[in-house]
Amino acid sequence: MLNVRFWHADSMRVNRALLAGLLVVVLWASAFPAIRVAAPALGVIGLSFARLAVAAVALLIVAVVVKARFPRREDLGWIAACGFFGMAVYQLLLNWGELYVPAGTASIIVAAAPLVSVVVARVLFSERISPVTVVGSVIALAGVALVCLARAGVSLSAAVWIVVAAMVVQGIYHPLQRPLLKRYTSIEVACYAMIAGTIMTLPLVPFDIDALLTGGLAPWLAAIYLGLLPSAAGFVLWAYAVARMPVAVSTSLLYLVPPVAVLIAWVWLGELPILSELLGGLVVVAGVITISQVPRILARTKARREVRGSIAAE
């Protein structure tokens, strides 16, 4: 009976982390079309700073309410790395790339970030890469490739490579949170990284100050939305999910962002999805299910066999 209770409690904990990760998927998917609305008017640097600043202020307010701790001096290096890769550089590169690359296509390219995360986690933290992760990643990347090929009008131009660079730095960022999440809450980690990214972007603001002052209402509303939901709420929820799931499992959820982003871009911007894009999205989902669910199914099956074996032995 005790074993059943412990299993149930652990299952609930994992399910909450999974729900948090899925909500992040929706928020981050909506960010791609929002960037397409805001970046041309506010500028690459202007939007990056506005989004980070809004998110940093929101997280600071939350941090005060929950009485968040100041970071320790020895953790400032990890915080700076998270702010650099996950906030400042990622925002600048993605905003720049999306001036020329459709929102859905950009989300597809960024979907490859989990593969970078798995490699970084392996190098820095010796996290094991299971055969299931390899198989699921191959399936998901096949879906990503299918969607990329569907966009025949988007060649491997400089803009595409800029988005590829954004994907790489995003993939580096995800596992860099793990040492911090062992000592701090998800809100604290997101707050530290967001403030670090804002500070790093601040010196570049004069290059886009005119665009910030004359950007217009709709772009500013999109920027505020990006700061409050995909950034502030999204990174807190993401830190919560990453702290409670292996990197390979949590980052595999990000493969779901492209099909959701394609759908949102269709509704919001009128970027009509192509049939092969939709098929690719289904393949991506299949890869995610393989990575995130197959290990749990195998573990449960093994546990049941062990219980049956012990009962038979008695």
Side-chain angles (χ1 to χ4, degrees):
M1 188 67 177
L2 285 175
N3 290 336
V4 173
R5 288 177 180 173
F6 281 130
W7 176 86
H8 179 70
D10 184 66
S11 177
M12 288 296 291
R13 180 177 63 84
V14 172
N15 287 340
R16 285 172 185 163
L18 182 60
L19 287 175
L22 291 174
L23 182 54
V24 170
V25 166
V26 176
L27 291 176
W28 285 356
S30 69
F32 290 94
I35 290 171
R36 291 280 288 177
V37 171
L42 299 181
V44 172
I45 298 170
L47 174 58
S48 299
F49 177 74
R51 177 178 179 178
L52 289 170
V54 168
V57 170
L59 288 172
L60 275 172
I61 293 173
V62 175
V64 171
V65 172
V66 301
K67 299 180 180 180
R69 297 160 293 174
F70 285 101
R72 300 185 303 180
R73 181 178 300 178
E74 54 266 35
D75 293 325
L76 293 181
W78 287 109
I79 293 171
C82 287
F84 179 78
F85 288 104
M87 307 301 170
V89 178
Y90 174 70
Q91 298 291 344
L92 291 167
L93 289 172
L94 183 60
N95 293 344
W96 187 10
E98 279 209 53
L99 290 177
Y100 312 100
V101 176
T105 305
S107 70
I108 293 160
I109 297 171
V110 174
L115 292 187
V116 178
S117 298
V118 169
V119 173
V120 173
R122 172 64 180 173
V123 172
L124 292 182
F125 311 121
S126 300
E127 186 164 308
R128 189 176 69 89
I129 301 177
S130 68
V132 172
T133 298
V134 174
V135 172
S137 297
V138 170
I139 294 172
L141 279 179
V144 170
L146 180 59
V147 182
C148 285
L149 292 174
R151 288 290 181 181
V154 180
S155 61
L156 291 180
S157 63
V160 171
W161 286 114
I162 292 169
V163 180
V164 170
M167 175 272 292
V168 172
V169 297
Q170 182 75 344
I172 294 172
Y173 160 73
H174 294 306
L176 292 181
Q177 300 177 92
R178 293 188 73 82
L180 295 172
L181 289 168
K182 292 178 180 178
R183 295 185 285 274
Y184 304 100
T185 66
S186 57
I187 293 176
E188 289 171 335
V189 172
C191 186
Y192 302 154
M194 203 68 68
I195 292 173
T198 305
I199 294 172
M200 292 174 185
T201 310
L202 183 58
L204 302 176
V205 171
F207 292 100
D208 268 349
I209 190 65
D210 291 338
L212 280 172
L213 296 176
T214 61
L217 180 60
W220 265 105
L221 289 176
I224 292 171
Y225 167 80
L226 284 165
L228 290 178
L229 292 179
S231 287
F235 277 100
V236 170
L237 289 170
W238 183 243
Y240 176 88
V242 169
R244 291 158 178 80
M245 292 188 288
V247 169
V249 176
S250 58
T251 54
S252 71
L253 294 175
L254 299 182
Y255 285 123
L256 293 172
V257 171
V260 177
V262 168
L263 178 61
I264 295 175
W266 179 18
V267 174
W268 190 350
L269 304 177
E271 291 183 359
L272 295 176
I274 304 170
L275 178 59
S276 53
E277 281 185 320
L278 300 178
L279 294 175
L282 293 176
V283 176
V284 169
V285 172
V288 173
I289 292 174
T290 300
I291 296 173
S292 61
Q293 299 301 318
V294 168
R296 296 177 62 191
I297 294 172
L298 293 176
R300 289 180 183 178
T301 302
K302 181 180 179 180
R304 288 171 183 170
R305 287 177 179 173
E306 291 176 350
V307 170
R308 291 174 183 171
S310 61
I311 292 174
E314 292 177 357

